[in-house]
Amino acid sequence: MRFLFIVLALLLTGCLVGCQEPINSPHLAGLAADKVLFSAFSERPKHLDPARAYSENEMAYLGQIYEPPLQYNYLKRPFTLEPLTLSAMPEVAFYDAQGRVLPADAPAVRVTTSVYTVRLKAGIRYQPHPALAPDRVLTADDYIYQIKRLADPRVSSPIASLMGEYIIGLNDLGVAIEQKLKRGVAVDLVQEPLSGVERVDALTWRIRIKGKYPQFLYWLAMPFFAPMPEEADRYYGTALMRAANLTLDSQPVGTGAFYMAENDPNRVMILRRNPNYHADYYPTTGEPNDAAAGLLRDAGRRLPLLDAAVYSLEKEDIPYWNKFLQGYYDTSGIASDTFDQAIRIGPDGRPDLSPEMRARDIQLATTNRTSIWYLGFNWLDPVLGGVHDPERARKLRQAVSIALDWDEFISIFLNGRGLPGHGPIPPGIFGFKEGAINAVVYQPDGRRRALAEARRLLAEAGYPHGRDARTGAPLTLYFDTMASGPESKARLDWYRKQFARLDIQLVVRSTDYNRFQDKMRKGNAQIFEWGWNADYPDPENFLFLLYGPNRKQGKNGENAANYSNPEFDRLFTEMKSMDNGPARQAVIDRMVQIVRVDAPWVFAYTPKAFGLRHGWLANAKPNPMAHNTLKYLRVDPVVRQAYQRHWNRPLLWPVGVGVLLLIAMVYPAWRLWRRRLRMTAVEGR
Amino acid sequence: MIAYLIRRLLYAVPILLGVNLITFALFFMVNTPDDMARIQLGAKHVTAEAIARWKVQHGYDKPLFYNAQAEGGERLTQTLFTQKSLSLFALEFGQADDGRSIAREIQTRMWPSLAVAMPTFFIGLAVYLATALMLVFFRRSRLELAGVVMLVVLMSISGLFYVIGGQFVLGKLWHWAPISGYAPGLEAWKFLVLPVLVGVVSGIGESGRFYRALFLEEIHQDYVRTARAKGLSEARVLFNHILPNAAIPILTGVVVVLPRLFLGSLVIESFFGVPGLGSYTIDAIQAQDFGIVRAMVFLGSLLYIVGLVLTDLSYTLVDPRVRLQ
């Protein structure tokens, strides 16, 4: 026992002092010396099947492994699509009901069918995989197979019904497969016909779309349309594989810059460089400031620039943050607990790094997210909605819009990480106008309208001093939210206080996710908070949240406020198939003005993302739309290791103090022990 | 004794059935299968057809207890309760909502749980017993007083404080161990130091005092006086006489826990990023994955019953007066 103790003590002391890597390194030995990115995930990705995955945390992996036909340029803004596996951008042709070709600028009403012709680069190879022949190259059939998978009811793709509205024959394919499955007939997707997709040759295929749908190109940049080799589907389709938890949903197979080398979502996920990756180069042009920011140092270099990326499970914010400070993670977000430690707000209100972060050569990158947050009013509600007494309710909604001070909210609850909303389209998306203000809520000089104006509107709505002018009853409004618990209390109190400024009593009805969704579907909520994260950078993806036929109640759409305005709906139909340009901007401006006046939402804010990274990580430019950004990143492992050793030298003095303390405790105990052993039953003998 | 064991195992059936029924009722009263489907399908573009399809795929399209549309015995078997809950008695855990085999996950995750729980348990037991015996040995001295005060202080501190304090001091300030994480195989040792230490230290206060009380009760017994009268040293009296005689109440608390060790610790595993069954259960509760929760509750109840039976058996080993009939 004593020998064992000595060996253990020597091992521990030896390692504390002499190991190549610090003993508190949470990574496997040797990895930090390679070109490996270390990052973390807080929640295991539910799906890694490109037909099923939709969440951001799933796309973070799939984007590196699967290659849809198109990608977003890494550096350019506004977001620009470019070919990824294609030899050129898809060609689109429009046809009328008689099958005649229409010009490219034909109005949407005349277009019955759009045909996209897509051509692949030759010779793109898949990652090494036991299901695939070593010389297996990417073909049009793999893309067609994946489109068919979207319709397969066994796959349960979240965009099956949405794409069914556009891709000709997709719904019919889904029904045909379902019927076969019910009859117990085996389904072979390769053999199943899909009328809207045609194979032209091994590298070319055509997709036929109902009507004009320019946004379809954006879908071609998402993993839903990535290629799936049928051999891989068959390989993972057996019962034996399923029993071993090996399915396409956990074992991605792609042509991307990286492949999944280890998928243990309970602990770590490791992506490694795909040795078969096709020729792909770092962009040579970007935005004007990119060169000065060092983002073009690797211009023209062959991608990827990393050998691997290690994502460790990190559920809690504090350990993640501490390990980032120890140099064991290359990037980190900023939780509200650590905001003050990381960021100083300058006198001009601009965020900057704290001296502690600067001393560690940590870099800050901020970007506006392509998301919006809003407070919605249920359009069907008798008090606040637009159906029963539209004029009165509109004034009430406008009064509330003025009273809610989002600048204050952003300052208190987001540490300044947000922009107050002026409309339904966030910055970075076509249709957003820099400097354009919501005149219903703000004065021309950009200041929020005075509370007196809100009170006047409230009185005009029939609620002077927050009381119903007819009955004298106090005005009580109901706010439905999924927020509950002590961490949300301050925020909910803030809402109450903002309404109280108009003498309106706000009753907060906190509920769980399911009950909240249920209320929204049934149209039972009065006021609620909601957000939307862009699927693609097109205003249609935000304005459809207010499109009447897309309402939540009864239609299960995404218009959670159930807002309906015939003029807005007409303009939306016109706008959605227009090309970006002044004409489209003019239509969008009219739509935005309508919703500002109607105020079905209080436009709350667009969140700003603050990201930190260590100085040894290069080429990091936030791109909220692109998913395949890992291939552009570069690390300097030598600098990283030097910092890690410097920051993680074990402190040895506590060992000495511990030994002294032990002696101080053991010595009197030993003396007492000796005395007790020598003690006699009778004193003095 | 065999008759006793069979009787105890038969008693276990209605208990497990009851536990299943309560879990089932709680889950289906709070969460309908539609809700489960929505959680799994995400927030965007969720259609009624997709929900119906998900329910069929996961077997949630059946009635709860009685299927009027089925025939014969299938009226009872083609129900959610039979399919989802009673199959557990055959140790068929089925699939989680994400389609992964629960049995496979349990097999994989039990090892990290054991890697943390076993050393914590055995080192902890040894430390707690040693602390209690020492305090008893030094009774009526300043050392004992200081020790008891220290134990009271230790037991007054929240368990979470030990976790955060341990990570802060040993991981962040002194750089002696990784703050959290896990690695399989031999590399696991450096990740185990901190959680095991925290697990042991957080239990010293309560267990040390408890065992001390047990030993103090024994120390005034006649057999102790006899042992001393024989001229035995105080150490031999403590280890050879008092410890075995205090074993029954110690075993009551200890053996019942043994089978459940591999279920892991919810708090320790979550905070230290150990991919064991404790964090599996927490994740499942947060994700409202009924399949996993029901499997873990069933397993927990089963192992608790096994633990109780083992406790009874252990009494016969340490106390010849005990007979199981």
Side-chain angles (χ1 to χ4, degrees):
Chain A
M1 184 69 195
R2 191 174 295 168
F3 173 75
L4 193 71
F5 177 76
I6 292 168
V7 170
L8 271 176
L10 282 176
L11 265 176
L12 193 67
T13 324
C15 227
L16 280 171
V17 177
C19 276
Q20 183 69 20
E21 278 185 28
I23 195 166
N24 66 345
S25 167
H27 303 308
L28 292 179
L31 273 178
D34 299 330
K35 289 184 207 163
V36 176
L37 176 94
F38 291 101
S39 188
F41 61 102
S42 60
E43 198 182 334
R44 59 188 291 173
K46 272 186 195 161
H47 303 294
L48 290 176
D49 182 337
R52 303 180 72 182
Y54 207 167
S55 304
E56 259 185 87
N57 70 329
E58 296 160 349
M59 297 288 185
Y61 304 100
L62 289 188
Q64 326 310 329
I65 300 165
Y66 284 104
E67 291 192 301
L70 302 176
Q71 68 177 352
Y72 290 93
N73 185 288
Y74 183 51
L75 300 176
K76 279 186 192 163
R77 301 291 181 279
F79 304 106
T80 311
L81 285 175
E82 61 184 22
L84 176 58
T85 57
L86 303 189
S87 55
M89 287 297 282
E91 291 165 14
V92 59
F94 301 116
Y95 297 88
D96 66 9
Q98 284 73 43
R100 288 175 302 216
V101 180
L102 295 171
D105 57 352
V109 282
R110 287 187 60 203
V111 178
T112 310
T113 313
S114 310
V115 178
Y116 289 81
T117 305
V118 191
R119 283 193 192 86
L120 281 177
K121 289 176 196 162
I124 293 177
R125 288 168 65 201
Y126 278 93
Q127 65 178 78
H129 192 276
L132 304 176
D135 55 351
R136 175 70 158 84
V137 292
L138 179 66
T139 65
D141 298 299
D142 303 335
Y143 283 97
I144 295 170
Y145 189 80
Q146 171 72 356
I147 296 174
K148 289 179 180 175
R149 289 185 77 236
L150 296 179
D152 190 338
R154 294 167 297 183
V155 176
S156 287
S157 174
I159 63 161
S161 61
L162 184 75
M163 282 300 126
E165 291 172 24
Y166 293 107
I167 299 177
I168 292 170
L170 199 68
N171 282 341
D172 297 338
L173 174 63
V175 172
I177 296 173
E178 192 145 30
Q179 284 173 350
K180 276 192 175 178
L181 291 173
K182 271 184 191 160
R183 294 201 307 270
V185 179
V187 176
D188 180 3
L189 279 184
V190 178
Q191 303 300 331
E192 293 294 329
L194 173 56
S195 56
V197 180
E198 176 197 355
R199 179 188 190 274
V200 179
D201 58 45
L203 297 177
T204 315
W205 75 101
R206 290 198 184 102
I207 306 172
R208 291 167 60 220
I209 298 287
K210 292 173 200 164
K212 195 174 180 183
Y213 184 45
Q215 291 78 19
F216 185 66
L217 281 182
Y218 294 117
W219 287 103
L220 291 182
M222 294 173 80
F224 291 116
F225 285 86
M228 178 57 70
E230 50 141 337
E231 302 97 301
D233 196 12
R234 273 207 305 270
Y235 182 79
Y236 287 115
T238 61
L240 202 65
M241 284 288 188
R242 271 201 303 277
N245 279 346
L246 296 172
T247 64
L248 267 184
D249 215 16
S250 63
Q251 310 293 319
V253 184
T255 58
F258 296 89
Y259 69 94
M260 182 74 80
E262 187 173 343
N263 180 11
D264 179 0
N266 305 331
R267 189 177 64 80
V268 70
M269 298 173 78
I270 300 178
L271 302 183
R272 287 193 188 279
R273 171 203 286 265
N274 174 8
N276 299 338
Y277 189 53
H278 57 88
D280 191 10
Y281 301 94
Y282 194 94
T284 50
T285 53
E287 285 188 290
N289 295 332
D290 286 349
L295 287 166
L296 287 174
R297 272 187 212 133
D298 290 307
R301 273 187 73 183
R302 179 86 187 249
L303 299 175
L305 302 174
L306 290 172
D307 289 335
V310 176
Y311 300 89
S312 307
L313 180 63
E314 205 66 75
K315 287 185 188 166
E316 305 292 331
D317 288 339
I318 299 293
Y320 186 129
W321 174 249
N322 285 331
K323 286 184 206 172
F324 171 69
L325 291 183
Q326 290 177 332
Y328 294 128
Y329 289 127
D330 298 325
T331 60
S332 172
I334 309 174
S336 52
D337 290 344
T338 49
F339 188 84
D340 291 338
Q341 190 186 350
I343 302 292
R344 294 276 178 277
I345 303 293
D348 57 350
R350 295 170 74 89
D352 200 1
L353 286 165
S354 66
E356 185 191 344
M357 298 298 115
R358 284 188 180 283
R360 288 172 178 260
D361 192 25
I362 286 171
Q363 314 285 319
L364 169 71
T366 66
T367 185
N368 293 323
R369 296 176 61 95
T370 46
S371 316
I372 48 164
W373 278 95
Y374 61 88
L375 215 67
F377 301 111
N378 183 4
W379 205 247
L380 308 174
D381 183 76
V383 180
L384 283 163
V387 178
H388 299 277
D389 191 347
E391 190 56 24
R392 186 178 164 171
R394 183 170 58 80
K395 288 187 170 163
L396 179 54
R397 291 192 302 272
Q398 288 181 345
V400 172
S401 298
I402 294 171
L404 285 165
D405 186 349
W406 292 104
D407 293 278
E408 185 182 284
F409 182 95
I410 291 164
S411 166
I412 297 174
F413 298 105
L414 302 177
N415 303 108
R417 287 175 286 181
L419 289 174
H422 286 271
I425 303 174
I429 304 287
F430 181 83
F432 174 83
K433 266 186 157 174
E434 191 72 49
I437 58 165
N438 178 4
V440 173
V441 178
Y442 290 86
Q443 295 168 6
D445 62 1
R447 284 184 299 142
R448 182 169 283 275
R449 289 188 180 277
L451 207 57
E453 281 196 56
R455 290 209 178 98
R456 179 179 56 75
L457 283 166
L458 193 67
E460 286 174 18
Y463 301 101
H465 306 295
R467 287 185 176 271
D468 192 322
R470 286 171 294 195
T471 63
L475 176 59
T476 305
L477 298 178
Y478 296 90
F479 177 55
D480 281 279
T481 174
M482 287 183 278
S484 61
E487 68 274 15
S488 310
K489 189 176 179 306
R491 196 160 58 85
L492 298 177
D493 282 345
W494 181 86
Y495 280 124
R496 281 194 202 96
K497 280 181 190 159
Q498 299 291 307
F499 279 80
R501 298 200 306 165
L502 294 179
D503 301 313
I504 299 173
Q505 291 177 19
L506 185 73
V507 177
V508 176
R509 295 194 290 205
S510 292
T511 169
D512 67 10
Y513 177 83
N514 290 324
R515 299 286 84 71
F516 178 75
Q517 295 278 352
D518 194 45
K519 276 186 181 179
M520 297 305 297
R521 271 195 313 279
K522 290 177 179 161
N524 287 342
Q526 191 177 48
I527 307 174
F528 58 92
E529 55 181 350
W530 204 291
W532 185 260
N533 195 17
D535 289 316
Y536 43 81
D538 192 273
E540 180 262 356
N541 195 231
F542 286 91
L543 293 172
F544 92 122
L545 301 172
L546 291 160
Y547 180 53
N550 191 31
R551 71 171 188 271
K552 177 109 4 215
Q553 191 266 342
K555 299 262 186 180
N556 208 17
E558 302 295 348
N559 176 359
N562 303 307
Y563 174 61
S564 175
N565 179 315
E567 175 65 2
F568 182 91
D569 293 349
R570 188 186 64 74
L571 290 169
F572 176 81
T573 321
E574 188 184 334
M575 178 278 310
K576 78 175 206 181
S577 51
M578 291 172 82
D579 293 323
N580 286 348
R584 197 181 198 206
Q585 181 70 56
V587 176
I588 291 169
D589 288 347
R590 283 164 62 197
M591 295 174 76
V592 170
Q593 188 52 31
I594 289 172
V595 289
R596 279 173 179 164
V597 173
D598 273 354
W601 296 352
V602 182
F603 306 109
Y605 60 90
T606 293
K608 264 187 179 176
F610 277 39
L612 298 178
R613 66 184 166 84
H614 285 290
W616 58 72
L617 179 70
N619 302 337
K621 178 173 180 176
N623 186 329
M625 295 317 307
H627 303 300
N628 59 348
T629 53
L630 189 63
K631 62 185 177 182
Y632 303 103
L633 300 181
R634 177 169 53 79
V635 292
D636 186 337
V638 178
V639 176
R640 176 169 61 193
Q641 271 199 311
Y643 271 116
Q644 283 180 351
R645 280 196 213 108
H646 176 63
W647 290 336
N648 294 288
R649 280 196 205 108
L651 289 186
L652 294 178
W653 63 259
V655 180
V657 172
V659 170
L660 286 177
L661 266 175
L662 205 63
I663 292 170
M665 277 163 37
V666 167
Y667 180 68
W670 178 76
R671 283 193 53 187
L672 195 59
W673 171 277
R674 299 281 300 167
R675 205 166 62 233
R676 291 245 162 129
L677 284 184
R678 286 178 188 155
M679 212 161 60
T680 52
V682 182
E683 284 287 331
R685 292 184 62 181
Chain B
M1 180 151 76
I2 290 174
Y4 172 82
L5 284 179
I6 292 171
R7 200 167 64 245
R8 283 297 298 264
L9 289 176
L10 286 177
Y11 286 160
V13 175
I15 295 172
L16 289 173
L17 210 59
V19 167
N20 258 347
L21 202 62
I22 291 169
T23 323
F24 183 81
L26 276 177
F27 251 82
F28 280 89
M29 275 155 70
V30 177
N31 242 13
T32 65
D34 281 41
D35 295 334
M36 295 179 194
R38 280 199 184 85
I39 285 175
Q40 289 302 313
L41 292 172
K44 286 182 174 179
H45 309 302
V46 180
T47 59
E49 296 82 48
I51 290 169
R53 211 177 292 135
W54 186 92
K55 279 163 46 183
V56 173
Q57 279 174 354
H58 291 81
Y60 286 116
D61 57 331
K62 297 181 176 65
L64 292 181
F65 295 103
Y66 185 76
N67 191 343
Q69 297 187 341
E71 287 182 11
E74 288 197 341
R75 285 186 177 152
L76 291 176
T77 57
Q78 289 299 314
T79 60
L80 271 181
F81 183 65
T82 314
Q83 304 266 319
K84 296 286 177 191
S85 277
L86 292 186
S87 58
L88 292 173
F89 282 89
L91 292 184
E92 284 176 13
F93 298 119
Q95 290 180 331
D97 286 344
D98 62 3
R100 293 165 73 90
S101 156
I102 295 173
R104 184 94 188 173
E105 283 280 316
I106 292 174
Q107 281 169 25
T108 317
R109 282 173 168 266
M110 61 185 267
W111 299 111
S113 282
L114 276 176
V116 178
M118 292 272 277
T120 309
F121 178 77
F122 286 109
I123 295 174
L125 187 62
V127 169
Y128 308 150
L129 286 175
T131 310
L133 283 171
M134 270 206 291
L135 288 175
V136 170
F137 181 84
F138 294 120
R139 67 191 176 283
R140 292 193 302 274
S141 72
R142 283 181 188 162
L143 267 177
E144 190 208 17
L145 183 67
V148 172
V149 168
M150 184 58 80
L151 292 187
V152 172
V153 170
L154 287 173
M155 70 181 283
S156 311
I157 297 171
S158 151
L160 277 180
F161 180 85
Y162 290 106
V163 175
I164 294 165
Q167 286 182 331
F168 181 76
V169 175
L170 292 180
K172 194 181 174 200
L173 290 185
W174 295 354
H175 307 139
W176 283 12
I179 292 170
S180 64
Y182 190 77
L186 286 177
E187 284 211 58
W189 76 270
K190 68 175 179 181
F191 295 98
L192 296 179
V193 172
L194 199 50
V196 169
L197 190 69
V198 164
V200 171
V201 172
S202 62
I204 286 184
E206 199 175 319
S207 300
R209 284 200 66 208
F210 174 64
Y211 293 143
R212 173 179 164 271
L214 295 182
F215 295 141
L216 281 179
E217 240 173 65
E218 292 294 320
I219 211 154
H220 300 297
Q221 300 288 329
D222 288 345
Y223 72 87
V224 176
R225 192 181 306 129
T226 311
R228 286 196 188 118
K230 285 198 302 186
L232 294 182
S233 71
E234 191 66 15
R236 286 195 66 181
V237 171
L238 276 177
F239 283 96
N240 292 7
H241 293 260
I242 293 178
L243 185 58
N245 279 292
I248 288 251
I250 294 173
L251 285 175
T252 310
V254 167
V255 179
V256 75
V257 183
L258 270 177
R260 287 195 300 157
L261 279 186
F262 87 93
L263 292 182
S265 153
L266 303 184
V267 175
I268 294 275
E269 286 185 12
S270 280
F271 274 84
F272 286 101
V274 178
L277 288 172
S279 52
Y280 189 46
T281 312
I282 288 269
D283 291 348
I285 292 169
Q286 282 169 353
Q288 302 190 19
D289 192 324
F290 173 61
I292 299 174
V293 174
R294 131 196 103 173
M296 296 310 292
V297 169
F298 180 83
L299 216 51
S301 321
L302 184 68
L303 293 172
Y304 188 68
I305 291 168
V306 171
L308 288 176
V309 174
L310 286 179
T311 309
D312 288 353
L313 287 178
S314 68
Y315 290 164
T316 62
L317 296 178
V318 297
D319 191 341
R321 293 169 298 180
V322 177
R323 295 273 186 281
L324 299 180
Q325 288 177 339

